[in-house]
mmCIF file with all atom_site columns, all heavy atoms in Angstrom:
data_model
loop_
_atom_site.group_PDB
_atom_site.id
_atom_site.type_symbol
_atom_site.label_atom_id
_atom_site.label_alt_id
_atom_site.label_comp_id
_atom_site.label_asym_id
_atom_site.label_entity_id
_atom_site.label_seq_id
_atom_site.pdbx_PDB_ins_code
_atom_site.Cartn_x
_atom_site.Cartn_y
_atom_site.Cartn_z
_atom_site.occupancy
_atom_site.B_iso_or_equiv
_atom_site.pdbx_formal_charge
_atom_site.auth_seq_id
_atom_site.auth_comp_id
_atom_site.auth_asym_id
_atom_site.auth_atom_id
_atom_site.pdbx_PDB_model_num
ATOM 1   N N   . PHE A 1 30 ? -0.471  -6.151  -7.421  1.00 91.00 ? 30 PHE A N   1
ATOM 2   C CA  . PHE A 1 30 ? -0.653  -7.562  -7.160  1.00 91.00 ? 30 PHE A CA  1
ATOM 3   C C   . PHE A 1 30 ? -1.743  -8.117  -8.047  1.00 91.00 ? 30 PHE A C   1
ATOM 4   O O   . PHE A 1 30 ? -2.632  -7.361  -8.525  1.00 91.00 ? 30 PHE A O   1
ATOM 5   C CB  . PHE A 1 30 ? -1.121  -7.764  -5.686  1.00 91.00 ? 30 PHE A CB  1
ATOM 6   C CG  . PHE A 1 30 ? -0.098  -7.354  -4.675  1.00 91.00 ? 30 PHE A CG  1
ATOM 7   C CD1 . PHE A 1 30 ? -0.285  -6.189  -3.945  1.00 91.00 ? 30 PHE A CD1 1
ATOM 8   C CD2 . PHE A 1 30 ? 1.046   -8.145  -4.425  1.00 91.00 ? 30 PHE A CD2 1
ATOM 9   C CE1 . PHE A 1 30 ? 0.622   -5.794  -2.969  1.00 91.00 ? 30 PHE A CE1 1
ATOM 10  C CE2 . PHE A 1 30 ? 1.960   -7.703  -3.475  1.00 91.00 ? 30 PHE A CE2 1
ATOM 11  C CZ  . PHE A 1 30 ? 1.750   -6.605  -2.718  1.00 91.00 ? 30 PHE A CZ  1
ATOM 12  N N   . VAL A 1 31 ? -1.663  -9.429  -8.315  1.00 91.00 ? 31 VAL A N   1
ATOM 13  C CA  . VAL A 1 31 ? -2.697  -10.096 -9.091  1.00 91.00 ? 31 VAL A CA  1
ATOM 14  C C   . VAL A 1 31 ? -4.028  -9.979  -8.355  1.00 91.00 ? 31 VAL A C   1
ATOM 15  O O   . VAL A 1 31 ? -4.035  -10.136 -7.094  1.00 91.00 ? 31 VAL A O   1
ATOM 16  C CB  . VAL A 1 31 ? -2.317  -11.622 -9.313  1.00 91.00 ? 31 VAL A CB  1
ATOM 17  C CG1 . VAL A 1 31 ? -3.407  -12.342 -9.964  1.00 91.00 ? 31 VAL A CG1 1
ATOM 18  C CG2 . VAL A 1 31 ? -1.043  -11.710 -10.121 1.00 91.00 ? 31 VAL A CG2 1
ATOM 19  N N   . ASP A 1 32 ? -5.094  -9.784  -9.073  1.00 88.00 ? 32 ASP A N   1
ATOM 20  C CA  . ASP A 1 32 ? -6.412  -9.601  -8.462  1.00 88.00 ? 32 ASP A CA  1
ATOM 21  C C   . ASP A 1 32 ? -6.805  -10.837 -7.654  1.00 88.00 ? 32 ASP A C   1
ATOM 22  O O   . ASP A 1 32 ? -6.578  -11.977 -8.063  1.00 88.00 ? 32 ASP A O   1
ATOM 23  C CB  . ASP A 1 32 ? -7.476  -9.329  -9.568  1.00 88.00 ? 32 ASP A CB  1
ATOM 24  C CG  . ASP A 1 32 ? -8.759  -8.871  -8.964  1.00 88.00 ? 32 ASP A CG  1
ATOM 25  O OD1 . ASP A 1 32 ? -8.793  -8.516  -7.786  1.00 88.00 ? 32 ASP A OD1 1
ATOM 26  O OD2 . ASP A 1 32 ? -9.752  -8.829  -9.743  1.00 88.00 ? 32 ASP A OD2 1
ATOM 27  N N   . ASP A 1 33 ? -7.304  -10.538 -6.492  1.00 83.00 ? 33 ASP A N   1
ATOM 28  C CA  . ASP A 1 33 ? -7.764  -11.602 -5.554  1.00 83.00 ? 33 ASP A CA  1
ATOM 29  C C   . ASP A 1 33 ? -9.120  -11.090 -4.991  1.00 83.00 ? 33 ASP A C   1
ATOM 30  O O   . ASP A 1 33 ? -9.602  -10.070 -5.464  1.00 83.00 ? 33 ASP A O   1
ATOM 31  C CB  . ASP A 1 33 ? -6.722  -11.782 -4.454  1.00 83.00 ? 33 ASP A CB  1
ATOM 32  C CG  . ASP A 1 33 ? -6.932  -13.089 -3.712  1.00 83.00 ? 33 ASP A CG  1
ATOM 33  O OD1 . ASP A 1 33 ? -7.822  -13.885 -4.055  1.00 83.00 ? 33 ASP A OD1 1
ATOM 34  O OD2 . ASP A 1 33 ? -6.152  -13.300 -2.759  1.00 83.00 ? 33 ASP A OD2 1
ATOM 35  N N   . ASP A 1 34 ? -9.666  -11.808 -4.095  1.00 90.00 ? 34 ASP A N   1
ATOM 36  C CA  . ASP A 1 34 ? -10.913 -11.342 -3.452  1.00 90.00 ? 34 ASP A CA  1
ATOM 37  C C   . ASP A 1 34 ? -10.614 -10.089 -2.629  1.00 90.00 ? 34 ASP A C   1
ATOM 38  O O   . ASP A 1 34 ? -10.081 -10.154 -1.528  1.00 90.00 ? 34 ASP A O   1
ATOM 39  C CB  . ASP A 1 34 ? -11.440 -12.473 -2.539  1.00 90.00 ? 34 ASP A CB  1
ATOM 40  C CG  . ASP A 1 34 ? -12.664 -12.062 -1.753  1.00 90.00 ? 34 ASP A CG  1
ATOM 41  O OD1 . ASP A 1 34 ? -13.379 -11.141 -2.210  1.00 90.00 ? 34 ASP A OD1 1
ATOM 42  O OD2 . ASP A 1 34 ? -12.941 -12.695 -0.684  1.00 90.00 ? 34 ASP A OD2 1
ATOM 43  N N   . PHE A 1 35 ? -10.911 -8.914  -3.224  1.00 93.00 ? 35 PHE A N   1
ATOM 44  C CA  . PHE A 1 35 ? -10.544 -7.635  -2.622  1.00 93.00 ? 35 PHE A CA  1
ATOM 45  C C   . PHE A 1 35 ? -11.237 -7.417  -1.286  1.00 93.00 ? 35 PHE A C   1
ATOM 46  O O   . PHE A 1 35 ? -10.605 -7.037  -0.285  1.00 93.00 ? 35 PHE A O   1
ATOM 47  C CB  . PHE A 1 35 ? -10.850 -6.480  -3.599  1.00 93.00 ? 35 PHE A CB  1
ATOM 48  C CG  . PHE A 1 35 ? -10.424 -5.136  -3.075  1.00 93.00 ? 35 PHE A CG  1
ATOM 49  C CD1 . PHE A 1 35 ? -9.060  -4.796  -2.996  1.00 93.00 ? 35 PHE A CD1 1
ATOM 50  C CD2 . PHE A 1 35 ? -11.343 -4.193  -2.606  1.00 93.00 ? 35 PHE A CD2 1
ATOM 51  C CE1 . PHE A 1 35 ? -8.673  -3.577  -2.545  1.00 93.00 ? 35 PHE A CE1 1
ATOM 52  C CE2 . PHE A 1 35 ? -10.930 -2.979  -2.115  1.00 93.00 ? 35 PHE A CE2 1
ATOM 53  C CZ  . PHE A 1 35 ? -9.593  -2.660  -2.096  1.00 93.00 ? 35 PHE A CZ  1
ATOM 54  N N   . ASP A 1 36 ? -12.558 -7.678  -1.223  1.00 93.00 ? 36 ASP A N   1
ATOM 55  C CA  . ASP A 1 36 ? -13.278 -7.490  0.021   1.00 93.00 ? 36 ASP A CA  1
ATOM 56  C C   . ASP A 1 36 ? -12.811 -8.420  1.111   1.00 93.00 ? 36 ASP A C   1
ATOM 57  O O   . ASP A 1 36 ? -12.654 -8.042  2.303   1.00 93.00 ? 36 ASP A O   1
ATOM 58  C CB  . ASP A 1 36 ? -14.794 -7.669  -0.228  1.00 93.00 ? 36 ASP A CB  1
ATOM 59  C CG  . ASP A 1 36 ? -15.397 -6.595  -1.118  1.00 93.00 ? 36 ASP A CG  1
ATOM 60  O OD1 . ASP A 1 36 ? -14.823 -5.482  -1.119  1.00 93.00 ? 36 ASP A OD1 1
ATOM 61  O OD2 . ASP A 1 36 ? -16.327 -6.894  -1.864  1.00 93.00 ? 36 ASP A OD2 1
ATOM 62  N N   . GLY A 1 37 ? -12.521 -9.660  0.721   1.00 94.00 ? 37 GLY A N   1
ATOM 63  C CA  . GLY A 1 37 ? -12.006 -10.633 1.705   1.00 94.00 ? 37 GLY A CA  1
ATOM 64  C C   . GLY A 1 37 ? -10.643 -10.221 2.194   1.00 94.00 ? 37 GLY A C   1
ATOM 65  O O   . GLY A 1 37 ? -10.299 -10.358 3.380   1.00 94.00 ? 37 GLY A O   1
ATOM 66  N N   . LEU A 1 38 ? -9.791  -9.733  1.288   1.00 94.00 ? 38 LEU A N   1
ATOM 67  C CA  . LEU A 1 38 ? -8.471  -9.266  1.703   1.00 94.00 ? 38 LEU A CA  1
ATOM 68  C C   . LEU A 1 38 ? -8.578  -8.098  2.665   1.00 94.00 ? 38 LEU A C   1
ATOM 69  O O   . LEU A 1 38 ? -7.853  -8.092  3.689   1.00 94.00 ? 38 LEU A O   1
ATOM 70  C CB  . LEU A 1 38 ? -7.679  -8.825  0.452   1.00 94.00 ? 38 LEU A CB  1
ATOM 71  C CG  . LEU A 1 38 ? -6.297  -8.242  0.689   1.00 94.00 ? 38 LEU A CG  1
ATOM 72  C CD1 . LEU A 1 38 ? -5.389  -9.263  1.352   1.00 94.00 ? 38 LEU A CD1 1
ATOM 73  C CD2 . LEU A 1 38 ? -5.696  -7.678  -0.608  1.00 94.00 ? 38 LEU A CD2 1
ATOM 74  N N   . CYS A 1 39 ? -9.396  -7.112  2.420   1.00 94.00 ? 39 CYS A N   1
ATOM 75  C CA  . CYS A 1 39 ? -9.585  -6.020  3.350   1.00 94.00 ? 39 CYS A CA  1
ATOM 76  C C   . CYS A 1 39 ? -10.096 -6.469  4.675   1.00 94.00 ? 39 CYS A C   1
ATOM 77  O O   . CYS A 1 39 ? -9.614  -5.996  5.741   1.00 94.00 ? 39 CYS A O   1
ATOM 78  C CB  . CYS A 1 39 ? -10.525 -4.992  2.710   1.00 94.00 ? 39 CYS A CB  1
ATOM 79  S SG  . CYS A 1 39 ? -9.912  -4.172  1.269   1.00 94.00 ? 39 CYS A SG  1
ATOM 80  N N   . ARG A 1 40 ? -10.982 -7.414  4.707   1.00 94.00 ? 40 ARG A N   1
ATOM 81  C CA  . ARG A 1 40 ? -11.498 -7.971  5.954   1.00 94.00 ? 40 ARG A CA  1
ATOM 82  C C   . ARG A 1 40 ? -10.371 -8.685  6.719   1.00 94.00 ? 40 ARG A C   1
ATOM 83  O O   . ARG A 1 40 ? -10.253 -8.483  7.929   1.00 94.00 ? 40 ARG A O   1
ATOM 84  C CB  . ARG A 1 40 ? -12.657 -8.948  5.644   1.00 94.00 ? 40 ARG A CB  1
ATOM 85  C CG  . ARG A 1 40 ? -13.421 -9.426  6.839   1.00 94.00 ? 40 ARG A CG  1
ATOM 86  C CD  . ARG A 1 40 ? -14.657 -10.257 6.415   1.00 94.00 ? 40 ARG A CD  1
ATOM 87  N NE  . ARG A 1 40 ? -14.403 -11.227 5.399   1.00 94.00 ? 40 ARG A NE  1
ATOM 88  C CZ  . ARG A 1 40 ? -14.783 -11.167 4.123   1.00 94.00 ? 40 ARG A CZ  1
ATOM 89  N NH1 . ARG A 1 40 ? -15.533 -10.141 3.725   1.00 94.00 ? 40 ARG A NH1 1
ATOM 90  N NH2 . ARG A 1 40 ? -14.542 -12.147 3.263   1.00 94.00 ? 40 ARG A NH2 1
ATOM 91  N N   . ASP A 1 41 ? -9.533  -9.466  6.014   1.00 94.00 ? 41 ASP A N   1
ATOM 92  C CA  . ASP A 1 41 ? -8.465  -10.181 6.671   1.00 94.00 ? 41 ASP A CA  1
ATOM 93  C C   . ASP A 1 41 ? -7.352  -9.188  7.126   1.00 94.00 ? 41 ASP A C   1
ATOM 94  O O   . ASP A 1 41 ? -6.716  -9.455  8.160   1.00 94.00 ? 41 ASP A O   1
ATOM 95  C CB  . ASP A 1 41 ? -7.862  -11.179 5.730   1.00 94.00 ? 41 ASP A CB  1
ATOM 96  C CG  . ASP A 1 41 ? -8.813  -12.330 5.358   1.00 94.00 ? 41 ASP A CG  1
ATOM 97  O OD1 . ASP A 1 41 ? -9.833  -12.470 6.105   1.00 94.00 ? 41 ASP A OD1 1
ATOM 98  O OD2 . ASP A 1 41 ? -8.557  -13.062 4.414   1.00 94.00 ? 41 ASP A OD2 1
ATOM 99  N N   . MET A 1 42 ? -7.155  -8.116  6.453   1.00 94.00 ? 42 MET A N   1
ATOM 100 C CA  . MET A 1 42 ? -6.127  -7.156  6.825   1.00 94.00 ? 42 MET A CA  1
ATOM 101 C C   . MET A 1 42 ? -6.494  -6.445  8.110   1.00 94.00 ? 42 MET A C   1
ATOM 102 O O   . MET A 1 42 ? -5.591  -6.028  8.883   1.00 94.00 ? 42 MET A O   1
ATOM 103 C CB  . MET A 1 42 ? -5.910  -6.097  5.710   1.00 94.00 ? 42 MET A CB  1
ATOM 104 C CG  . MET A 1 42 ? -5.127  -6.607  4.508   1.00 94.00 ? 42 MET A CG  1
ATOM 105 S SD  . MET A 1 42 ? -3.430  -6.964  4.827   1.00 94.00 ? 42 MET A SD  1
ATOM 106 C CE  . MET A 1 42 ? -2.761  -5.339  5.125   1.00 94.00 ? 42 MET A CE  1
ATOM 107 N N   . LYS A 1 43 ? -7.780  -6.357  8.424   1.00 94.00 ? 43 LYS A N   1
ATOM 108 C CA  . LYS A 1 43 ? -8.200  -5.758  9.694   1.00 94.00 ? 43 LYS A CA  1
ATOM 109 C C   . LYS A 1 43 ? -7.800  -6.641  10.874  1.00 94.00 ? 43 LYS A C   1
ATOM 110 O O   . LYS A 1 43 ? -7.517  -6.175  11.960  1.00 94.00 ? 43 LYS A O   1
ATOM 111 C CB  . LYS A 1 43 ? -9.729  -5.508  9.714   1.00 94.00 ? 43 LYS A CB  1
ATOM 112 C CG  . LYS A 1 43 ? -10.157 -4.384  8.825   1.00 94.00 ? 43 LYS A CG  1
ATOM 113 C CD  . LYS A 1 43 ? -11.673 -4.241  8.892   1.00 94.00 ? 43 LYS A CD  1
ATOM 114 C CE  . LYS A 1 43 ? -12.108 -3.134  7.921   1.00 94.00 ? 43 LYS A CE  1
ATOM 115 N NZ  . LYS A 1 43 ? -13.556 -2.987  7.860   1.00 94.00 ? 43 LYS A NZ  1
ATOM 116 N N   . GLN A 1 44 ? -7.758  -7.982  10.594  1.00 94.00 ? 44 GLN A N   1
ATOM 117 C CA  . GLN A 1 44 ? -7.371  -8.901  11.621  1.00 94.00 ? 44 GLN A CA  1
ATOM 118 C C   . GLN A 1 44 ? -5.838  -9.028  11.751  1.00 94.00 ? 44 GLN A C   1
ATOM 119 O O   . GLN A 1 44 ? -5.308  -9.047  12.866  1.00 94.00 ? 44 GLN A O   1
ATOM 120 C CB  . GLN A 1 44 ? -7.973  -10.320 11.303  1.00 94.00 ? 44 GLN A CB  1
ATOM 121 C CG  . GLN A 1 44 ? -9.488  -10.294 11.201  1.00 94.00 ? 44 GLN A CG  1
ATOM 122 C CD  . GLN A 1 44 ? -10.194 -9.866  12.459  1.00 94.00 ? 44 GLN A CD  1
ATOM 123 O OE1 . GLN A 1 44 ? -9.773  -10.262 13.529  1.00 94.00 ? 44 GLN A OE1 1
ATOM 124 N NE2 . GLN A 1 44 ? -11.205 -9.049  12.315  1.00 94.00 ? 44 GLN A NE2 1
ATOM 125 N N   . ASP A 1 45 ? -5.165  -9.213  10.604  1.00 93.00 ? 45 ASP A N   1
ATOM 126 C CA  . ASP A 1 45 ? -3.756  -9.485  10.612  1.00 93.00 ? 45 ASP A CA  1
ATOM 127 C C   . ASP A 1 45 ? -3.118  -9.015  9.320   1.00 93.00 ? 45 ASP A C   1
ATOM 128 O O   . ASP A 1 45 ? -3.601  -9.342  8.230   1.00 93.00 ? 45 ASP A O   1
ATOM 129 C CB  . ASP A 1 45 ? -3.471  -10.946 10.787  1.00 93.00 ? 45 ASP A CB  1
ATOM 130 C CG  . ASP A 1 45 ? -2.036  -11.352 10.942  1.00 93.00 ? 45 ASP A CG  1
ATOM 131 O OD1 . ASP A 1 45 ? -1.202  -10.414 11.206  1.00 93.00 ? 45 ASP A OD1 1
ATOM 132 O OD2 . ASP A 1 45 ? -1.663  -12.505 10.763  1.00 93.00 ? 45 ASP A OD2 1
#
Side-chain angles (χ1 to χ4, degrees):
F30 296 105
V31 175
D32 193 12
D33 197 3
D34 177 23
F35 184 73
D36 294 329
L38 176 64
C39 292
R40 189 174 45 252
D41 294 345
M42 285 293 291
K43 288 179 184 177
Q44 303 298 320
D45 186 16

